[in-house]
Amino acid sequence: MSVRQRTSLQLEVANKLRDLVGTCAYNANLYSSLKSFATDSGLVSLSKFFNEASRTSAKNAEVLGNHLIKSGFILNYPSVDEVVVDVKEDYDGADLLEIALDTETKMTDTINDIAQMCLEKKDHITYGLMSKFLQVQVNCERNKRVRLDIFKSSDDDIVADNQIGSIN
């Protein structure tokens, strides 16, 4: 039985998903780096938040990779670019969250693009997966926006960190 017969997953969609696996792995590393910066700044709640975001991104990479494998594709994991976060000494919690939010916005756009491609290719199985991912992604973006708003509205990062600790 050929790959084409086993799945509706098209090669073009598979390549986009492979790239998304790499993006998720990169994001996991990015959030781990942001966690370290938050920890070094004494922002315990923000550190925990980034730790959870890192774990979620790693899990997303695993789920997407498994989808590709179950669809009959060999998953050659893409190389993950080294995470380089140019955090300045004067960065605060809001700056860290803006980096994270920018990443989440790009991720949402990518998922939307893949979902649209799946519709065009009539790949309903992968479209369903992307729809679920999009729901989670929108929630991730909203969570980062809420925390960013808290940090932006506060003059004291420790006070803001305590506030987000109550909603983590």
Side-chain angles (χ1 to χ4, degrees):
M1 188 183 285
S2 74
V3 171
R4 189 163 177 71
Q5 291 171 322
R6 283 187 278 156
T7 179
S8 62
L9 190 64
Q10 301 289 325
L11 185 58
E12 188 177 358
V13 172
N15 286 332
K16 292 286 185 184
L17 284 177
R18 181 181 170 276
D19 292 344
L20 190 57
V21 169
T23 300
C24 289
Y26 176 87
N27 289 350
N29 292 339
L30 171 69
Y31 292 136
S32 181
S33 293
L34 293 176
K35 172 190 165 257
S36 294
F37 291 122
T39 300
D40 291 347
S41 299
L43 304 174
V44 176
S45 297
L46 189 57
S47 176
K48 288 179 184 176
F49 179 70
F50 284 136
N51 186 55
E52 184 59 32
S54 179
R55 291 175 38 193
T56 299
S57 292
K59 181 66 176 170
N60 289 345
E62 179 183 351
V63 168
L64 291 168
N66 286 339
H67 178 70
L68 283 167
I69 292 167
K70 287 177 184 175
S71 297
F73 288 88
I74 296 171
L75 180 61
N76 296 320
Y77 282 96
S79 62
V80 178
D81 293 335
E82 181 182 348
V83 176
V84 178
V85 183
D86 188 21
V87 176
K88 312 284 190 259
E89 283 186 30
D90 62 340
Y91 271 21
D92 59 13
D95 295 317
L96 299 178
L97 283 161
E98 283 177 351
I99 292 168
L101 183 58
D102 181 56
T103 300
E104 294 296 341
T105 303
K106 289 175 185 171
M107 184 76 145
T108 301
D109 292 343
T110 300
I111 293 169
N112 273 323
D113 291 345
I114 294 171
Q116 183 62 39
M117 183 185 294
C118 290
L119 284 177
E120 292 167 6
K121 303 271 184 197
K122 297 183 174 33
D123 182 352
H124 304 293
I125 294 170
T126 306
Y127 176 77
L129 178 65
M130 290 297 96
S131 294
K132 290 177 186 174
F133 262 83
L134 189 58
Q135 291 172 351
V136 171
Q137 186 59 31
V138 167
N139 190 44
C140 288
E141 213 176 295
R142 181 180 45 80
N143 286 340
K144 286 176 181 67
R145 285 184 199 283
V146 166
R147 284 155 181 81
L148 178 59
D149 289 344
I150 290 170
F151 270 91
K152 282 187 170 182
S153 67
S154 177
D155 292 333
D156 186 334
D157 267 12
I158 299 300
V159 171
D161 189 62
N162 289 334
Q163 285 179 314
I164 70 161
S166 67
I167 60 173
N168 274 353

